[in-house]
Amino acid sequence: MAANSAGRSLFARPCTFVTSAMSLEGLPDPEVPEVAFAGRSNCGKSSLINALTGRRSLARTSRTPGRTRSINVFSLDGRMHLVDLPGYGYAAAGKREVAGWTRAVDDYLALRPVLRRVFLLLDARRGVTDRDRVTFDSLDTAGVAWQAVLTKSDKVKGTGLDDVAGEVESELRQRPAAVPGILITSARKGRGIDDLRSAIAVIAS
Ligand SMILES: Nc1nc2c(ncn2[C@@H]2O[C@H](COP(=O)(O)OP(=O)(O)OP(=O)(O)O)[C@@H](O)[C@H]2O)c(=O)[nH]1
Ligand SMILES: [Mg+2]
């Protein structure tokens, strides 16, 4: 089956909410392969899950940062889990709360046995920030395969997108656990969504 049609048929299956966990202990038994969506607060993780699954509000989104505050697991017809993580870099919530969810994300990324790939989302308007590099370091240290995804590409005009994509690619070349090649997406316009579905279908197969 061609990659794109495998992606489409995987994502034509029903996708349902499984659970919302504040720590590793609250997650389902590690039986189904998982892909997770990580990145700065507000970079578009939850919106991308909705675009992939064609569901407007499967994952909750918000215009203000700090919407997702726990590890949210969705099941793609029992074949794969899509995991929506809280964002990092959001300072407006209580210190203790931020510390709690940051720890949960760090534990998840380093210790989850069924985690097959992390999609590391970067807002195309900002590119890579120092806080993103902290997560790059953790993923490289944990040896988790990760792939960069530029989000909100509809917000960048002209050659700006090529510039940021080039900068991100040159950073990835220094990163041992990074999967080469970045995906350029727009949850709003649908750009890159089929490519991301295909990448996930390859991981599921
Ligand atoms: N223009 C545009 N806006 C987007 C896109 N994707 C997400 N957004 C907007 O960005 C804001 C944040 O989106 P979320 O999906 O909630 O971001 P998040 O990364 O899940 O945020 P946290 O849960 O707070 O970490 C919302 O207002 C979305 O509508 C996109 O592709 N294009
Ligand atoms: Mg979110």
Side-chain angles (χ1 to χ4, degrees):
M1 207 187 301
N4 260 356
S5 67
R8 282 199 202 126
S9 72
L10 179 63
F11 279 89
R13 292 170 174 278
C15 190
T16 51
F17 173 75
V18 177
T19 198
S20 183
M22 304 300 292
S23 68
L24 276 184
E25 291 72 42
L27 290 171
D29 288 344
E31 287 162 353
V32 175
E34 292 178 354
V35 294
F37 298 82
R40 284 178 66 89
S41 214
N42 203 245
C43 69
K45 300 172 292 297
S46 303
S47 300
L48 198 62
I49 289 177
N50 290 338
L52 284 167
T53 56
R55 299 267 304 272
R56 196 177 293 181
S57 52
L58 181 67
R60 291 213 196 128
T61 66
S62 154
R63 279 199 302 171
T64 50
R67 167 80 252 193
T68 308
R69 296 181 173 211
S70 53
I71 299 173
N72 288 291
V73 182
F74 303 93
S75 170
L76 207 43
D77 204 21
R79 301 193 167 212
M80 173 144 251
H81 286 163
L82 306 177
V83 179
D84 189 14
L85 296 171
Y88 46 76
Y90 172 59
K95 254 190 188 161
R96 193 175 283 186
E97 197 189 359
V98 175
W101 83 56
T102 303
R103 166 112 195 251
V105 171
D106 289 347
D107 285 352
Y108 175 82
L109 294 176
L111 301 171
R112 183 74 170 154
V114 283
L115 179 57
R116 295 279 180 273
R117 186 168 303 180
V118 174
F119 292 100
L120 199 305
L121 276 51
L122 301 162
D123 186 324
R125 293 171 297 186
R126 306 183 66 137
V128 180
T129 66
D130 281 339
R131 182 60 185 81
D132 293 310
R133 293 184 185 102
V134 172
T135 301
F136 294 180
D137 288 343
S138 312
L139 292 168
D140 284 334
T141 303
V144 179
W146 61 277
Q147 184 161 14
V149 178
L150 288 185
T151 60
K152 309 191 189 184
S153 62
D154 57 285
K155 290 279 195 187
V156 181
K157 303 286 170 239
T159 58
L161 204 53
D162 292 336
D163 294 345
V164 70
E167 283 163 25
V168 173
E169 267 175 351
S170 70
E171 289 218 20
L172 295 187
R173 282 194 280 275
Q174 328 288 324
R175 296 283 172 176
V179 174
I182 57 174
L183 292 161
I184 297 177
T185 64
S186 164
R188 188 161 294 175
K189 301 284 183 194
R191 177 173 181 179
I193 300 302
D194 264 341
D195 294 336
L196 185 51
R197 286 180 181 140
S198 303
I200 294 171
V202 169
I203 297 162
S205 64

